[in-house]
Amino acid sequence: MFSKLSKLRDVFKKFIDSAASLLTSKDKLLDLLEDLKLELISKDVAYEAAEDIASKLRVLILEGKIRDRKTLVESLRGIISSYFENAGSVDLLGLASVKKPFKILFMGVNGVGKTTTIAKVAVYFREQGLRPLMVAADTFRAAAQEQLKKHSERTGIPVFMGRYGVDPASVAYDAIQFAQSRGFDVLLVDTAGRMHTDVDLVNELRKIAKVVKPDFKLLVVDALTGNDAVEQARFFNEAVGVDGFIVTKFDAYEEGGVPISLVYVLKKPVIYVGTGQSYRDLKPFNYLEYLDKVLPVEE
Ligand SMILES: Nc1nc2c(ncn2[C@@H]2O[C@H](COP(=O)(O)OP(=O)(O)O)[C@@H](O)[C@H]2O)c(=O)[nH]1
Ligand SMILES: [Mg+2]
């Protein structure tokens, strides 16, 4: 699932190598922590998360719990694992299979890969036996409608279109009636990713959320935007709430820290990652696999 992420891995490796040669001196070990913190931040680990990792390690060092390389790696893995565990996990397919129609609101800034991701999720759900309907509720840009229509033509997954400039909440409302009468299992609602102002965007999203009453609010972020992904997460979370994330462009992502930042700061799980431009390039996110890549137990 994770071919890249090499820069975060290098940071951890360098830290572990240095620390392993200084285990007899608590002071020297403690000195490494400030450097680790800064290096983590430079690899997209949010400041608060990097600080927490360093301070938890500090306690373990002072308590004499870091005895060898193995306990060091395990401690680090334990600290970061706890962030993912605290964020919980979501079986979106399972949820979508029991409630009909299951309504998912897709949110995200333009360009992150939101519309492509909707098509990927729709294809995945169809493969699992569900009937998805994509809803083009971004009526702010004419191109957004066209984009979803194109994905519909290529995948054969139906799309409910709103006219350009029409109230997106009314498009979403009509789409729900349509889905109910035609027996669709899942509604995947595309929303605007930018408007004249942030206030306009927040008001529009709130209005859509009020009408749609989504069963799940998914935020799509682009790994390559690094710390901005977390800022976007805060923004959408404050505006309408976020239940989970999809992180796109993982196939090209070297820095590596975005998943840690999202789960630490927002305490909501990463559900899927985008791993390419084709419809099949969507993978369930497994944090243990992610940790195996950035912080392997065996060196
Ligand atoms: N490499 C890669 N490209 C992606 C991924 N997801 C989306 N893209 C590309 O990102 C670009 C923007 O995607 P789009 O769905 O139009 O973004 P939107 O503006 O958020 O709706 C397109 O060229 C997509 O093919 C991914 O997981 N990996
Ligand atoms: Mg789009």
Side-chain angles (χ1 to χ4, degrees):
M1 164 178 21
F2 310 126
S3 55
K4 297 255 156 86
L5 311 174
S6 56
K7 293 187 179 171
L8 184 59
R9 183 191 170 100
D10 289 346
V11 166
F12 282 128
K13 189 172 184 316
K14 195 175 123 207
F15 169 73
I16 290 161
D17 286 344
S18 309
S21 65
L22 297 171
L23 288 166
T24 49
S25 163
K26 278 186 187 175
D27 286 344
K28 285 185 180 154
L29 274 181
L30 292 173
D31 283 346
L32 294 176
L33 294 178
E34 193 56 27
D35 223 30
L36 173 66
K37 198 169 93 185
L38 296 177
E39 292 274 353
L40 289 175
I41 291 167
S42 77
K43 303 302 175 277
D44 299 344
V45 176
Y47 177 83
E48 305 96 293
E51 180 115 306
D52 190 71
I53 292 168
S55 82
K56 292 213 161 92
L57 281 176
R58 182 172 299 116
V59 172
L60 292 172
I61 291 167
L62 289 172
E63 288 175 345
K65 299 256 171 65
I66 308 293
R67 294 180 303 277
D68 51 23
R69 189 184 181 95
K70 188 158 173 278
T71 51
L72 175 60
V73 176
E74 282 174 1
S75 301
L76 258 172
R77 277 182 71 106
I79 292 165
I80 300 171
S81 292
S82 72
Y83 304 159
F84 287 99
E85 280 153 19
N86 291 341
S89 63
V90 167
D91 172 10
L92 200 58
L93 180 67
L95 291 175
S97 306
V98 294
K99 182 180 177 283
K100 184 173 171 175
F102 189 79
K103 295 168 286 184
I104 306 177
L105 196 61
F106 282 76
M107 302 179 291
V109 167
N110 287 344
V112 297
K114 187 172 29 145
T115 307
T116 312
T117 301
I118 290 172
K120 288 178 180 181
V121 173
V123 166
Y124 174 64
F125 280 0
R126 180 177 61 188
E127 276 171 7
Q128 303 301 318
L130 296 174
R131 283 185 67 211
L133 174 69
M134 304 189 288
V135 181
D138 177 357
T139 56
F140 185 66
R141 290 183 313 145
Q145 306 273 313
E146 282 312 306
Q147 210 188 0
L148 210 51
K149 193 167 150 212
K150 219 176 266 168
H151 286 306
S152 170
E153 285 161 7
R154 285 197 206 125
T155 60
I157 290 174
V159 61
F160 190 94
M161 305 274 287
R163 267 178 305 118
Y164 171 64
V166 160
D167 178 9
S170 79
V171 174
Y173 180 82
D174 291 345
I176 295 169
Q177 311 308 312
F178 181 80
Q180 277 167 345
S181 69
R182 305 290 172 100
F184 284 99
D185 299 310
V186 195
L187 251 80
L188 310 171
V189 182
D190 196 7
T191 60
R194 194 155 288 150
M195 305 238 341
H196 298 297
T197 67
D198 280 356
V199 177
D200 291 339
L201 180 58
V202 169
N203 286 338
E204 173 164 314
L205 287 171
R206 285 189 180 150
K207 193 167 171 199
I208 294 178
K210 209 164 150 192
V211 169
V212 172
K213 296 183 187 68
D215 299 292
F216 206 85
K217 291 175 287 221
L218 253 178
L219 181 67
V220 182
V221 295
D222 173 350
L224 302 181
T225 64
N227 282 318
D228 208 40
V230 181
E231 291 314 312
Q232 291 164 20
R234 286 190 222 265
F235 173 84
F236 283 95
N237 192 48
E238 275 166 31
V240 275
V242 169
D243 298 316
F245 304 105
I246 297 184
V247 183
T248 63
K249 307 183 195 176
F250 238 61
D251 48 304
Y253 186 42
E254 301 276 1
E255 264 73 10
V258 162
I260 296 174
S261 304
L262 290 172
V263 299
Y264 184 83
V265 176
L266 278 301
K267 304 199 168 40
K268 290 285 155 41
V270 176
I271 299 169
Y272 301 114
V273 289
T275 56
Q277 308 219 35
S278 88
Y279 293 121
R280 300 199 170 257
D281 293 327
L282 182 83
K283 305 282 181 287
F285 178 80
N286 177 331
Y287 81 83
L288 292 171
E289 253 178 77
Y290 169 78
L291 284 180
D292 283 344
K293 179 74 193 183
V294 297
L295 195 53
V297 180
E298 295 291 334
E299 275 297 318

